[in-house]
Amino acid sequence: MKVAGKHYRTIWMEGSSVFMIDQNALPFEFRIYEARTCKDTCHAIRTMITRGAGAIGAAAGFAMAQAFLERESGRRLALSAQPSEEHFNVEDARNEIEATRPTARNLYYATEKVFTAGLISADAAVSEAQRLAEENVQNAISIGEFGSKLIKDGNRILTHCNAGWLGFVDYGSALSPIYISNRDGKKVFVYADETRPRSQGARLTAWELMNEGISHSIVPDNAAAYLMSKGMVDMVITGADRIAANGDAANKIGTFEKAIIAKQFGIPFYIAAPFTTFDLSIPNGTHIVIEERDEEEVHFQSGPDEEGIIRRIRVTSPGSSAFNPAFDVTPAEYISGIITEKGIIGANSEHIKEIHSLIGH
Ligand code: MRU
């Protein structure tokens, strides 16, 4: 995607460094964060400098590759008899990467693939991480092409959180069909849920749509029933962080209530996700571990004051505690279809197994 006319990916690796668009600074500042070590990349995932299922997957793959590079350079130092740091343990690094964010399936998928490649050589680990980043882009494009067939000229689409370009390496999942429709000349209007507490919709989705020249409005998180009851929404598309074998889908907190409201008003509710988000080891969504984040995210918001200085302010009553689950699970029965890189499938175990056996991972 383009920022001020220049093409960027959300995250990439050059040498032993991982570069990523700092999503905590957006939309007020566009800056690139450089993670020089596996630990830096873990920090970036944990603190949401990079975020979103697909981007987290790419970051985890790169972090695992960095761990193998670090082990290799540690061995070289040991061979040249220079005092090296403690022997770098790639299993510990893998555990650290996997502990950064528990819900996104893509993170585990990438870590495992790169770990296996790294047992051959550090170079093989880097190539595998780069291949996964490429696959991430190609899957997102295919999701966009299949998903755009659902979108008619003039459609108004509601989305939740950010499942766009920033949530993947490029294009995104839920927003990819919208970008492709827009490029095909269809007029699309997007309602972007603000998505408290971190406001990925208000800050990131809105910024992406603005850059792409797509008409949109940011709407409060609690506006969906009103909009849908007034006939203002033709379709809902969101991403997913983990999809169970029966089609139950975990996504950003608040997704489930949008699905319930959509069903009430007979509005199609689609999930867009690549197969790397599916977890066939769990029969249904009750097995999905839901990340609970710090209550500070609920209490505080940040943004520029009138002079443009970024300030962090409290927005809740001092002394109250907050509970901050980051995801919820939408049961398969609320999902009209899952837009994947292989086509649009039903949210049920037969369809999922069928496509899964074609892909073979
Ligand atoms: O906590 P985040 O911002 O990493 O949330 C994950 C998500 O981006 C969403 O749930 C998204 O819709 C999934 S696909 C990018």
Side-chain angles (χ1 to χ4, degrees):
M1 291 282 140
K2 286 201 167 116
V3 181
K6 184 170 174 214
H7 181 265
Y8 281 92
R9 283 187 168 182
T10 302
I11 178 161
W12 66 96
M13 187 173 183
E14 272 171 38
S16 58
S17 281
V18 181
F19 296 88
M20 55 195 91
I21 294 172
D22 184 344
Q23 300 194 36
N24 288 333
L26 287 174
F28 309 115
E29 193 189 335
F30 181 79
R31 64 173 185 235
I32 306 296
Y33 175 83
E34 178 179 358
R36 292 173 194 267
T37 64
C38 172
K39 274 208 178 312
D40 290 348
T41 308
C42 287
H43 163 80
I45 302 172
R46 212 177 297 114
T47 58
M48 294 170 74
I49 289 172
T50 194
R51 48 138 300 283
I56 290 173
F62 289 143
M64 196 69 255
Q66 283 177 309
F68 281 100
L69 289 174
E70 284 162 43
R71 181 174 74 168
E72 191 182 68
S73 64
R75 278 179 178 161
R76 256 192 253 118
L77 281 175
L79 278 177
S80 62
Q82 287 173 25
S84 76
E85 285 171 31
E86 255 172 65
H87 224 55
F88 192 91
N89 186 325
V90 284
E91 276 89 10
D92 289 349
R94 178 179 179 166
N95 292 336
E96 185 174 348
I97 298 164
E98 290 184 344
T100 51
R101 307 273 321 259
T103 308
R105 164 71 191 141
N106 300 58
L107 182 148
Y108 296 84
Y109 171 81
T111 310
E112 189 187 334
K113 290 268 182 204
V114 178
F115 186 85
T116 308
L119 298 177
I120 303 167
S121 69
D123 281 353
V126 174
S127 306
E128 179 64 358
Q130 298 283 18
R131 187 193 69 76
L132 290 173
E134 261 339 293
E135 176 186 81
N136 183 305
V137 177
Q138 291 315 316
N139 287 343
I141 294 172
S142 300
I143 286 171
E145 282 163 356
F146 284 115
S148 69
K149 297 197 176 92
L150 297 167
I151 299 174
K152 296 193 186 71
D153 192 32
N155 271 175
R156 298 146 307 166
I157 300 168
L158 182 124
T159 190
H160 192 68
C161 193
N162 171 264
W165 159 56
L166 292 165
F168 275 74
V169 176
D170 211 339
Y171 284 87
S173 53
L175 295 192
S176 185
I178 292 168
Y179 292 144
I180 302 236
S181 297
N182 182 52
R183 283 174 197 181
D184 288 348
K186 291 181 216 167
K187 273 208 167 27
V188 186
F189 187 89
V190 179
Y191 290 107
D193 286 340
E194 59 178 347
T195 320
R196 281 275 289 146
R198 292 195 62 119
S199 305
Q200 290 95 329
R203 296 171 72 121
L204 304 177
T205 299
W207 181 77
E208 280 192 30
L209 293 169
M210 186 85 124
N211 280 333
E212 285 290 307
I214 294 174
S215 313
H216 64 280
S217 284
I218 299 163
V219 290
D221 280 330
N222 39 12
Y226 174 80
L227 296 177
M228 294 192 207
S229 71
K230 295 285 178 197
M232 294 164 73
V233 176
D234 299 302
M235 173 188 315
V236 181
I237 311 180
T238 76
D241 295 275
R242 190 179 289 255
I243 302 175
N246 71 340
D248 292 351
N251 193 53
K252 181 54 59 192
I253 190 79
T255 303
F256 181 22
E257 65 186 51
K258 305 302 175 280
I260 295 171
I261 301 166
K263 190 164 185 160
Q264 169 70 21
F265 293 104
I267 294 164
F269 176 93
Y270 289 98
I271 292 279
F275 265 90
T276 47
T277 303
F278 287 69
D279 182 356
L280 266 63
S281 73
I282 51 170
N284 59 55
T286 60
H287 298 263
I288 299 176
V289 176
I290 301 295
E291 176 185 7
E292 279 176 30
R293 295 190 60 86
D294 200 309
E295 61 177 289
E296 298 278 291
E297 291 183 346
V298 178
H299 293 311
F300 292 91
Q301 291 278 285
S302 64
D305 65 13
E306 281 167 3
E307 270 83 51
I309 297 163
I310 303 286
R311 306 249 184 230
R312 186 169 176 267
I313 56 160
R314 184 161 183 127
V315 293
T316 62
S317 180
S320 292
S321 67
F323 173 52
N324 187 14
F327 302 94
D328 58 25
V329 177
T330 301
E333 71 213 69
Y334 291 89
I335 301 170
S336 312
I338 307 177
I339 309 166
T340 75
E341 70 273 28
K342 295 290 174 200
I344 301 166
I345 62 168
N348 60 65
S349 46
E350 290 73 41
H351 280 180
I352 292 172
K353 255 194 236 138
E354 204 177 296
I355 303 283
H356 213 263
S357 61
L358 281 179
I359 294 182
H361 60 66

